[in-house]
Amino acid sequence: MKTKLFSLILVFTLTGSMAFSQEPVDSKTSVAILGGVNLQNLNGKDMNGDKLENDLLTGFHVGLNAQIPLAPEFYFQPGLMFSTKGAKMTEGDFSGTYKLSYIELPLNFVYKAVLGNGYFLLGFGPYVAYGVGGKATYESGSVSVETDIEFKNEVESGDPLTTAYIKPFDAGANLFFGYELQTGLFLQLNTQLGLLDIHPDDARISGDDKSTLKNTGFGLSLGYRF
């Protein structure tokens, strides 16, 4: 009887120890790769203070992030992304397309709760970005002209009128929600609001220049966490 009782106690002790020593998958630091589509715009005002009426431009993003546990169901999620942004504008038979490329550092905080066979995701936080390339295309009738976008904080009076200029640094806020399967595959909807005016000071324009320019947009990401 004592032998059977001792055996039962030993079995329960070992079983309980094994159960509690199993760490949940999402309680460890992990890394994810992700990519997807962007729908971006450049919002702001023109030199007269009138609101810009630009159209969305389709782009993409690709990169990775780390997920670091902070507390039960809460995580810090820094990342490194390559992202394309910009906008389209049309006035009569004239149209312009501005494509911008950024290296971006999102610094998100994520709430991750069990839902069904996976996890519900809700994230928010700031981002900082640096412009690494860009193209401006102008079309009127059958004529099309393409030029590089130059990143600088101040445009000098002698700089070419045919070149488009943008400030290199950008920063703003991220918000996203999505769903992650236990296998690590996840899908999320992203929104982004630029908070910095990326229109440079332009010495070529005399008088009161009221121009402002900010990146805004949303997108869809597909990724895998491992």
Side-chain angles (χ1 to χ4, degrees), residues 60-127:
F60 71 93
H61 60 273
V62 61
L64 51 83
N65 65 47
Q67 183 171 272
I68 304 168
L70 297 177
E73 299 185 338
F74 288 93
Y75 302 84
F76 176 51
Q77 198 178 88
L80 184 64
M81 307 290 295
F82 177 82
S83 184
T84 62
K85 304 180 181 183
K88 294 181 179 180
M89 60 87 66
T90 303
E91 187 173 343
D93 63 349
F94 176 83
S95 65
T97 302
Y98 303 90
K99 297 181 179 180
L100 306 171
S101 298
Y102 287 91
I103 297 295
E104 191 169 289
L105 179 66
L107 301 169
N108 293 318
F109 295 90
V110 180
Y111 171 68
K112 186 174 179 180
V114 175
L115 180 63
N117 293 322
Y119 305 94
F120 168 75
L121 308 174
L122 177 63
F124 65 93
Y127 77 87

Side-chain angles (χ1 to χ4, degrees), residues 4 7 13-14 24 86-87 89 128 139 143 146 153 157 172 185 187 212-213:
K4 291 183 179 179
S7 299
T13 302
L14 290 175
M89 60 87 66
V128 293
E139 297 181 352
V143 179
E146 183 178 85
N153 291 314
S157 57
L185 188 68
L187 182 71
T212 61
L213 210 56

Side-chain angles (χ1 to χ4, degrees), residues 174-194:
N174 295 312
L175 177 66
F176 68 86
F177 67 91
Y179 190 77
E180 180 179 324
L181 299 175
Q182 290 186 2
T183 57
L185 188 68
F186 64 88
L187 182 71
Q188 65 186 43
L189 179 65
N190 318 297
T191 62
Q192 194 171 71
L193 177 64

Side-chain angles (χ1 to χ4, degrees), residues 1-225:
M1 182 69 178
K2 290 183 179 180
T3 303
K4 291 183 179 179
L5 181 61
F6 177 79
S7 299
L8 287 173
I9 293 173
L10 182 60
V11 169
F12 279 111
T13 302
L14 290 175
T15 304
S17 176
M18 291 176 62
F20 284 102
S21 65
Q22 291 178 349
E23 188 175 17
V25 174
D26 64 339
S27 67
K28 299 178 180 179
T29 297
S30 60
V31 177
I33 55 174
L34 69 158
V37 61
N38 292 339
L39 292 172
Q40 294 287 147
N41 208 338
L42 291 168
N43 293 329
K45 298 179 180 180
D46 62 18
M47 60 184 298
N48 297 316
D50 295 325
K51 183 180 178 181
L52 295 176
E53 299 291 343
N54 293 331
D55 299 320
L56 292 172
L57 180 70
T58 303
F60 71 93
H61 60 273
V62 61
L64 51 83
N65 65 47
Q67 183 171 272
I68 304 168
L70 297 177
E73 299 185 338
F74 288 93
Y75 302 84
F76 176 51
Q77 198 178 88
L80 184 64
M81 307 290 295
F82 177 82
S83 184
T84 62
K85 304 180 181 183
K88 294 181 179 180
M89 60 87 66
T90 303
E91 187 173 343
D93 63 349
F94 176 83
S95 65
T97 302
Y98 303 90
K99 297 181 179 180
L100 306 171
S101 298
Y102 287 91
I103 297 295
E104 191 169 289
L105 179 66
L107 301 169
N108 293 318
F109 295 90
V110 180
Y111 171 68
K112 186 174 179 180
V114 175
L115 180 63
N117 293 322
Y119 305 94
F120 168 75
L121 308 174
L122 177 63
F124 65 93
Y127 77 87
V128 293
Y130 188 82
V132 294
K135 293 283 187 181
T137 303
Y138 305 102
E139 297 181 352
S140 181
S142 60
V143 179
S144 178
V145 177
E146 183 178 85
T147 181
D148 289 334
I149 293 176
E150 187 172 339
F151 291 92
K152 60 192 307 184
N153 291 314
E154 296 183 2
V155 182
E156 306 296 334
S157 57
D159 287 334
L161 294 172
T162 54
T163 301
Y165 298 94
I166 296 290
K167 287 183 178 179
F169 285 101
D170 186 28
N174 295 312
L175 177 66
F176 68 86
F177 67 91
Y179 190 77
E180 180 179 324
L181 299 175
Q182 290 186 2
T183 57
L185 188 68
F186 64 88
L187 182 71
Q188 65 186 43
L189 179 65
N190 318 297
T191 62
Q192 194 171 71
L193 177 64
L195 300 178
L196 290 187
D197 180 10
I198 59 173
H199 186 275
D201 297 330
D202 197 338
R204 301 171 304 175
I205 301 176
S206 59
D208 183 19
D209 183 9
K210 299 179 181 179
S211 300
T212 61
L213 210 56
K214 294 181 180 180
N215 282 307
T216 59
F218 60 96
L220 190 67
S221 299
L222 180 66
Y224 179 74
R225 185 166 303 283

